[in-house]
């Protein structure tokens, strides 16, 4: 046996925030939906978005259409993700991820409509979490916006 293989992860770029949320039926279940997001923001505008979806298709995947919809969009004021207006960029990106990027499979306890709704909501909340992480990294406080 030789040395185990190594993995290198690049450091996050300056002005970057991350988020990760998973949705479970119960505490002991595997996640029905999980979303990881990375947002890079310059002068209050999203310059790069990366969104990973888990259990939203037959394999983990990137939400490329949702990422493109966020590029060049203003980050806006701090939001908690639980009361996003329908026209908020993160809510729109969540719906795009659910409708265009994801390919959920129906399950006995979750039909396709429920799965798509859950993907949209979890993606939007994860993007809010990433935006808030970005704000905390640059020292921005609630009520201030960049």
């Amino acid at each position: 046996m030789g040395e185990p293989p190594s993995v290198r992860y690049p450091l996050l770029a300056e002005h970057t925030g991350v988020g990760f949320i998973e949705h479970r039926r119960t505490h002991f279940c595997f996640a029905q939906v999980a979303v990881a997001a990375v947002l890079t923001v310059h002068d209050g505008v999203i310059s790069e978005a990366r969104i990973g979806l888990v259990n939203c298709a037959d394999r983990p995947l990137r939400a490329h259409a949702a990422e493109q919809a966020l590029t060049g969009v203003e980050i806006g004021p701090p939001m908690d993700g639980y009361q996003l207006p329908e026209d908020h960029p993160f809510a729109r990106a969540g719906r795009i991820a659910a409708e265009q990027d994801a390919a959920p499979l129906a399950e006995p306890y979750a039909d396709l409509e429920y799965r798509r709704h859950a993907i949209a909501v979890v993606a939007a909340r994860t993007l809010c979490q990433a935006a808030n992480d970005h704000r905390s990294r640059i020292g921005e406080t609630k009520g201030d916006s960049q």
Side-chain angles (χ1 to χ4, degrees):
M1 281 180 38
E3 288 186 39
S6 64
V7 177
R8 291 179 182 249
Y9 294 102
L11 295 177
L12 291 176
E14 193 173 350
H15 305 290
T16 298
V18 298
F20 176 79
I21 297 177
E22 56 186 7
H23 171 67
R24 302 167 179 260
R25 284 183 54 225
T26 69
H27 180 70
F28 298 105
C29 291
F30 288 107
Q32 283 183 303
V33 172
V35 179
V38 178
L39 295 177
T40 303
V41 180
H42 295 286
D43 298 322
V45 176
I46 298 170
S47 60
E48 182 180 23
R50 292 181 177 223
I51 304 167
L53 305 175
V54 177
N55 293 339
C56 300
D58 60 351
R59 66 194 181 296
L61 52 91
R62 292 269 302 273
H64 293 289
E67 294 171 354
Q68 289 175 350
L70 288 170
T71 303
V73 173
E74 288 189 22
I75 195 169
M79 303 291 285
D80 67 6
Y82 291 90
Q83 298 178 0
L84 280 179
E86 288 290 313
D87 63 342
H88 191 281
F90 296 160
R92 283 194 310 268
R95 288 191 302 273
I96 291 169
E99 296 165 9
Q100 296 179 30
D101 294 311
L105 304 172
E107 298 177 0
Y109 49 83
D111 64 15
L112 289 178
E113 182 181 352
Y114 173 83
R115 297 287 311 263
R116 288 196 188 279
H117 176 73
I119 293 165
V121 169
V122 173
R125 290 179 181 173
T126 305
L127 290 164
C128 284
Q129 189 181 72
N132 291 336
D133 183 58
H134 157 71
R135 289 183 183 95
S136 70
R137 289 173 186 268
I138 63 169
E140 191 174 299
T141 59
K142 192 166 177 103
D144 296 338
S145 64
Q146 182 180 1

